[in-house]
Amino acid sequence: MSVEVLKHRWVALWMAAALSTTGCATSAEVLREDSAAGAYSAQPLPTGASWERRPRVRLWRRHGAPVAGTEPFTQGPPSCGGQVVPEGWPDYSSWLDEELLAPFFQCTSPGEFLALQRRVDMPRLVEALDDWSAVRLGSPGPMEAPAAKVLQRKRFSFLVNAHRLYGAYAQLLTLFLLDTAFDDEVRELLLLLARDKQLEQTLEQMVAVREALEQRGFKISDYPDRKEQLSDVVRGLGRAADDMAATMQIVDGARGGGVLAT
């Protein structure tokens, strides 16, 4: 892996934490790496806490049998990391994404992460999150079906809209998504993008992403976009209109001295 690509991958992790202070998330996070397993997870950063490493082990490299000794327990009140979840959690009617996510980020092992999933309607919880929050929730460890299917759909939506929503930061956040996804999940996402004729357009200018994928054995040329259809032209016109509207908003904000929210 080139030095430039490696630098981009680390910046991606820092940027994901930085975005939490710019309106894309509601509280600061630490993205920790397990140097042995290469697993990343988003964790709340308590006041006065220092940056530290917390070992994490992936249950699956590809979805399959769990590692021995990691069967979760489901007795007693829902908890993670020794902390019982807040009363009324999860409340989909009024709670913010960060409040829905917080108990999961207290988990200290994949077993705990899975056990907490089994105490809630996980597909509904993932569905209630915005795309970026769902991407973050997919970072601590595996999800069981059908929640995993909802997560993949959210990841797909995030990738398709990342450039429009995050501009120059899209590549950094895409690296974070890929680094926290399993091989079979990455393969499925590439196939979904290609079948929807979105792969080339989504990753066209993401050089670091392409190189990172190749390091994991994924070549973009192995996932050719399908042939163009009339619906693609209509979709392209819609995107052009969205881009024009976004540009006008930026210009109006600059003229008025306003600050655009992310």
Side-chain angles (χ1 to χ4, degrees):
M1 182 181 299
S2 68
V3 174
E4 186 67 19
V5 172
L6 187 60
K7 179 185 73 173
H8 278 303
R9 297 184 70 174
W10 280 108
V11 171
L13 301 177
W14 285 88
M15 280 306 307
L19 280 175
S20 66
T21 63
T22 60
C24 298
T26 58
S27 67
E29 295 176 341
V30 177
L31 298 175
R32 295 188 175 95
E33 176 200 11
D34 178 347
S35 57
Y40 300 94
S41 62
Q43 296 286 339
L45 178 61
T47 302
S50 59
W51 292 79
E52 61 182 25
R53 290 182 180 272
R54 176 180 295 182
R56 287 186 177 270
V57 179
R58 285 190 179 275
L59 277 181
W60 293 274
R61 185 55 184 168
R62 294 177 176 83
H63 288 165
V67 175
T70 57
E71 283 298 320
F73 298 97
T74 57
Q75 301 297 322
S79 65
C80 242
Q83 299 187 36
V84 177
V85 302
E87 184 177 357
W89 179 88
D91 183 346
Y92 305 105
S93 63
S94 60
W95 288 29
L96 300 174
D97 280 12
E98 199 67 24
E99 295 171 309
L100 295 175
L101 293 173
F104 291 103
F105 291 151
Q106 298 294 334
C107 298
T108 58
S109 71
E112 279 193 328
F113 183 65
L114 280 173
L116 185 56
Q117 291 182 50
R118 293 171 180 176
R119 305 300 295 273
V120 299
D121 185 346
M122 200 62 185
R124 181 183 178 187
L125 191 148
V126 179
E127 186 68 59
L129 300 171
D130 64 36
D131 294 342
W132 171 240
S133 295
V135 168
R136 292 165 57 212
L137 183 56
S139 65
M143 286 187 191
E144 297 180 318
K149 294 182 180 179
V150 182
L151 173 61
Q152 282 292 84
R153 178 159 49 80
K154 294 276 186 173
R155 283 170 168 166
F156 172 83
S157 177
F158 178 84
L159 289 173
V160 169
N161 296 298
H163 183 73
R164 177 175 59 85
L165 295 176
Y166 300 103
Y169 301 134
Q171 177 166 227
L172 305 179
L173 300 181
T174 299
L175 284 169
F176 171 77
L177 183 157
L178 296 175
D179 280 347
T180 54
F182 297 103
D183 287 349
D184 58 338
E185 294 172 329
V186 172
R187 184 177 297 105
E188 181 182 25
L189 286 170
L190 294 177
L191 287 171
L192 289 173
L193 289 168
R195 289 169 183 169
D196 200 40
K197 197 173 175 55
Q198 302 269 16
L199 182 58
E200 188 64 29
Q201 178 172 303
T202 300
L203 303 183
E204 182 178 7
Q205 298 179 353
M206 297 187 181
V207 178
V209 169
R210 287 173 175 265
E211 292 193 27
L213 285 170
E214 289 184 4
Q215 289 293 324
R216 292 178 63 174
F218 298 106
K219 293 185 177 180
I220 301 300
S221 57
D222 293 336
Y223 303 87
D225 281 338
R226 61 160 170 75
K227 294 182 178 180
E228 190 170 18
Q229 300 174 357
L230 179 60
S231 59
D232 299 323
V233 177
V234 176
R235 183 170 58 190
L237 292 174
R239 283 182 173 173
D242 289 341
D243 291 342
M244 181 176 298
T247 301
M248 293 176 65
Q249 184 180 10
I250 292 174
V251 172
D252 290 342
R255 289 174 177 174
V259 178
L260 296 177
T262 57

